[in-house]
Amino acid sequence: MAQIRGWLTRGWPGRVMALAILLSLAPGCLLTPAQIYIPLAYAFTGLCVALLISPTYTAAVVGLVIGGLIGASVYNNSLKRQLLEKQQPEPATGK
């Protein structure tokens, strides 16, 4: 185990291998892009606002986390139902 951990932390080969593993597992993920991009947009906005108010690392982290939480709640409360309705096929009539 120590040999594997040492190999993965030696620089770019380990990072490339980790990225390749993540990309190979990504198609099995059941997430829609909106589930990622909406909270990410709110998190980036929170980060920018926090850095404008107080340009410190702590403010950046707090703005990122709070923005991400707000974005996740916005997605869950108002957009999730609409996005899922668009993806579901209409029921077939038996005529």
Side-chain angles (χ1 to χ4, degrees):
M1 185 70 163
Q3 291 175 341
I4 293 173
R5 189 176 302 136
W7 180 77
L8 286 175
T9 59
R10 266 193 215 151
W12 69 269
R15 292 182 183 150
V16 170
M17 180 64 79
L19 182 63
I21 291 170
L22 287 174
L23 291 176
S24 67
L25 295 174
C29 188
L30 298 175
L31 296 174
T32 60
Q35 287 175 307
I36 301 297
Y37 296 137
I38 292 172
L40 190 63
Y42 275 85
F44 183 69
T45 304
L47 171 76
C48 292
V49 169
L51 287 176
L52 285 172
I53 294 171
S54 174
T56 62
Y57 290 117
T58 306
V61 171
V62 169
L64 187 74
V65 170
I66 290 176
L69 290 173
I70 292 171
S73 65
V74 165
Y75 171 76
N76 282 333
N77 290 333
S78 64
L79 298 175
K80 184 177 179 181
R81 188 177 315 115
Q82 294 172 4
L83 292 172
L84 290 176
E85 287 175 358
K86 290 179 184 178
Q87 292 177 355
Q88 294 177 352
E90 294 192 21
T93 56
K95 291 182 180 178

